[in-house]
Amino acid sequence: MNIIKVKSVIDPSKIYEYVDDGNPKVGGVKDVYFSPDKKYAVAFFRDFIDFNHKESIKKIVTLYHNNIKNGNSSEYFLDEIYRWPYDAVEKNGKWGVIVPFYNGKFFFKKGYTANETIKNGEKVGKWFTTPSFRNKQYPLSLDRSELGDWLSYFQIAINISRGVKKMHQMGLAHSDLSYNNVLVDPVTKSACIIDIDGLVVPGLIPPKVIGTADFIAPEVLKTKHLNIGDPNRILPNQKTDLHALPVLIYMYLLRRHPFRGGKIWDLDAEKDEILAMGEKAVFIEHPENPINRVKTDHLKKWNIFWGDPKKSPFTITGPYLTELFKKAFIDGLHNPILRPIANEWETALLKTVDLIQPCSNPDCDEKWYVFDNTSAPKCPFCGTPHKGSLPVIDLYYKFKDNVWKPENHRLMVYHNQYLFKWHASRKVIRNESLTPEDKKPVGYFTFYQNKWMLVNQGMPSMKDLSENKVIPVNSMVEIRDGKKIMLSDEEGGRLMYITLTHN
């Protein structure tokens, strides 16, 4: 075993070691070696890099790394959401970055159902956005134990949105956000953004690549033919990240590409690709423009349920995400300024999670679905209808004494579902900065003796306004149609209005 030592270019007193067996892991532009204890990787650029690139790397591993390290929720971002490079080294004139090793959950335990060729391989996001890998008839389908359920992908999308939000808050752009540069683990609902050494600092650090096919923004492809110095040439930036982000979210939740439809723009495959993803890009589910609909004969050829927008239209993601997909893929597709920002995606995803219902079919692959606002909801994946009564809760917030305003936030109830502080008060924001105390449930719903009940675990001012009764901590109240329950009487405290649907 050949162990090589290299010095930091930031602090020459720091020495790093890696194992060189002559067979590095080969990436797009880097060769990757691992430390003997597998705690970090040393990723060397294959080619020599220029002065500006070196300066950008120095900033990424010092200034921006320290910004995260010394900011809010640093552990969440550095341990969970990013593999952020924290030092740079040089060997024989070639530069490399020191990156923390991937968490063990981001490696396949089993891999394929039929064989184990990808066992211990990295769980890059691409595996989980491709319908064929979850089709049981397909010989290379992934083992069910690796796939998670539909709810897993909402949390994965929330984590990616938070990662992009944080970068943008620091004035950075990822520039190559794609399913190749995000590791995911549906089992633990985790996501991790990688390949961060190519970050773009507007006005200071230009992009090194134009992106990955499927995720490149239309304006970048449309101007790709222009000289790099041409002022009309569009290079990756924060707005192009805000194209790639919804494409990723759409692909994780619906497992198809939003612009790969039936329309052929040019018989030359390369020209067709540039037009279909660039200047002529049209959302396959555009409500008014059917030109790029997915064709039925394609579905027969692909033999996949997920490819059919008629069976699983984007509206099954619920009202908040439907609205944002329209903004991103219709209004903002060719007008980048109109694209929703990462924080909007995070908020919409979190509100959608509150609309999710468990499917009662034990054999349903997806296990969860978003309530469709009808009196007879059913799972869009397996068709199983909801049985029995269903409490629907609309949240109102206390604007001033005796004045409650609607929140445009709904909570669906199911047996053993929890209530949290962020439901009880708008002063508690559900984001990465929540404290362990804030994450504790303050109540839960239960179906008890054929009645829906809410148990108060930690809301001292909870009150049944319909009957003017205080509901003390460790007591419960029946959830009935038309009932109003105040969760908190503080400013910003919330009130629940209950609608009980029957089928």
Side-chain angles (χ1 to χ4, degrees):
M1 190 163 71
N2 195 12
I3 295 179
I4 310 288
K5 294 188 177 189
V6 279
K7 281 183 183 179
S8 162
V9 295
I10 310 293
D11 177 359
S13 68
K14 286 185 180 168
I15 307 285
Y16 296 94
E17 294 182 336
Y18 64 90
V19 178
D20 184 3
D21 58 1
N23 188 28
K25 186 173 176 297
V26 177
V29 294
K30 295 189 291 289
D31 293 329
V32 182
Y33 302 87
F34 301 103
S35 66
D37 58 7
K38 286 278 182 86
K39 285 198 172 161
Y40 58 83
V42 185
F44 281 104
F45 291 92
R46 213 166 291 126
D47 298 326
F48 292 100
I49 60 175
D50 64 20
F51 174 79
N52 285 342
H53 195 170
K54 288 175 184 175
E55 289 303 300
S56 77
I57 287 171
K58 282 181 185 176
K59 274 199 163 56
I60 288 164
V61 302
T62 56
L63 175 67
Y64 295 112
H65 182 265
N66 289 336
N67 280 354
I68 298 174
K69 197 174 173 182
N70 300 324
N72 289 337
S73 318
S74 58
E75 282 182 20
Y76 171 77
F77 285 112
L78 290 179
D79 296 347
E80 275 289 316
I81 299 301
Y82 304 128
R83 292 295 88 176
W84 199 284
Y86 57 89
D87 210 343
V89 294
E90 186 177 13
K91 180 176 179 282
N92 299 333
K94 291 196 174 176
W95 272 47
V97 288
I98 306 295
V99 187
F101 195 64
Y102 302 148
N103 190 302
K105 62 189 172 187
F106 294 119
F107 295 93
F108 283 108
K109 305 283 186 294
K110 289 188 177 178
Y112 300 133
T113 304
N115 62 55
E116 295 191 342
T117 36
I118 59 163
K119 187 178 178 181
N120 300 323
E122 294 162 14
K123 294 182 183 178
V124 291
K126 192 169 187 175
W127 289 108
F128 304 98
T129 56
T130 311
S132 50
F133 292 120
R134 34 183 77 238
N135 183 339
K136 290 164 191 167
Q137 280 76 51
Y138 185 61
L140 297 183
S141 64
L142 293 171
D143 193 89
R144 289 297 320 163
S145 66
E146 309 268 22
L147 290 173
D149 53 41
W150 207 42
L151 187 54
S152 305
Y153 296 92
F154 282 90
Q155 188 58 52
I156 282 167
I158 288 164
N159 286 331
I160 297 168
S161 301
R162 285 176 176 165
V164 174
K165 174 183 76 174
K166 182 72 173 175
M167 284 181 181
H168 288 189
Q169 282 171 346
M170 293 195 295
L172 302 167
H174 187 281
S175 82
D176 190 13
L177 194 64
S178 78
Y179 47 36
N180 290 334
N181 290 331
V182 179
L183 301 178
V184 304
D185 177 32
V187 180
T188 60
K189 304 177 174 58
S190 306
C192 181
I193 299 171
I194 60 172
D195 276 2
I196 286 170
D197 47 73
L199 291 176
V200 174
V201 181
L204 182 66
I205 304 170
K208 317 295 180 299
V209 292
I210 66 161
T212 299
D214 278 347
F215 300 93
I216 302 170
E219 64 271 20
V220 174
L221 277 178
K222 186 182 170 182
T223 62
K224 176 175 167 264
H225 65 284
L226 299 173
N227 188 289
I228 199 88
D230 190 314
N232 295 315
R233 171 88 187 257
I234 308 290
L235 294 168
N237 56 64
Q238 289 190 350
K239 291 286 186 288
T240 64
D241 281 356
L242 296 177
H243 171 81
L245 176 62
V247 172
L248 259 182
I249 294 170
Y250 183 93
M251 291 186 80
Y252 281 124
L253 296 180
L254 298 165
R255 293 160 204 149
R256 58 176 176 260
H257 194 281
F259 309 114
R260 293 201 179 280
K263 176 67 179 168
I264 294 167
W265 297 99
D266 198 292
L267 293 175
D268 179 301
E270 194 176 333
K271 285 180 187 170
D272 181 62
E273 172 75 5
I274 288 170
L275 289 170
M277 295 289 140
E279 187 178 351
K280 301 284 189 183
V282 176
F283 183 31
I284 60 170
E285 298 185 75
H286 195 304
E288 287 90 41
N289 184 356
I291 195 170
N292 197 26
R293 292 279 188 268
V294 172
K295 294 191 170 142
T296 313
D297 58 335
H298 289 174
L299 295 170
K300 283 179 188 160
K301 186 170 68 181
W302 298 333
N303 187 27
I304 43 176
F305 162 75
W306 274 104
D308 191 352
K310 285 181 187 160
K311 288 186 179 173
S312 57
F314 75 112
T315 50
I316 67 167
T317 62
Y320 310 118
L321 289 173
T322 294
E323 194 56 36
L324 286 196
F325 282 134
K326 283 180 183 173
K327 281 184 181 173
F329 297 155
I330 299 172
D331 307 340
L333 182 58
H334 298 289
N335 192 352
I337 200 79
L338 298 179
R339 289 171 191 161
I341 61 172
N343 189 49
E344 291 178 77
W345 287 104
E346 179 192 353
T347 302
L349 286 158
L350 289 167
K351 286 171 79 171
T352 303
V353 167
D354 279 344
L355 292 181
I356 275 194
Q357 276 281 302
C359 178
S360 59
N361 173 9
D363 297 322
C364 178
D365 286 340
E366 300 304 335
K367 308 292 184 209
W368 301 87
Y369 62 94
V370 176
F371 174 62
D372 62 3
N373 207 24
T374 68
S375 57
K378 63 178 183 179
C379 174
F381 306 111
C382 68
T384 305
H386 176 82
K387 294 186 183 76
S389 61
L390 180 64
V392 180
I393 289 172
D394 286 298
L395 293 172
Y396 291 72
Y397 70 94
K398 189 173 185 178
F399 180 65
K400 56 187 180 187
D401 283 349
N402 300 318
V403 179
W404 298 85
K405 290 200 169 184
E407 191 76 271
N408 186 27
H409 188 164
R410 179 170 270 184
L411 183 65
M412 300 306 302
V413 172
Y414 50 88
H415 182 58
N416 285 342
Q417 190 203 16
Y418 288 118
L419 258 184
F420 292 94
K421 283 185 180 177
W422 58 78
H423 294 126
S425 171
R426 66 187 340 217
K427 282 187 173 177
V428 180
I429 311 296
R430 188 181 179 186
N431 61 20
E432 66 279 357
S433 299
L434 286 170
T435 65
E437 190 59 34
D438 288 339
K439 292 178 185 175
K440 288 179 182 172
V442 291
Y444 67 92
F445 298 94
T446 181
F447 195 61
Y448 178 70
Q449 295 181 346
N450 284 325
K451 292 176 184 173
W452 284 102
M453 311 295 289
L454 169 58
V455 179
N456 181 4
Q457 289 177 291
M459 293 174 279
S461 54
M462 185 171 162
K463 190 176 183 182
D464 182 340
L465 296 185
S466 303
E467 298 184 21
N468 198 25
K469 278 185 189 169
V470 172
I471 304 155
V473 174
N474 296 326
S475 68
M476 59 187 181
V477 60
E478 185 183 347
I479 300 293
R480 289 202 299 266
D481 190 48
K483 194 178 270 288
K484 295 173 187 168
I485 296 173
M486 181 177 72
L487 301 176
S488 168
D489 64 357
E490 296 174 1
E491 186 190 346
R494 290 212 177 93
L495 173 148
M496 300 190 322
Y497 180 80
I498 293 116
T499 308
L500 203 58
T501 66
H502 296 269
N503 59 359

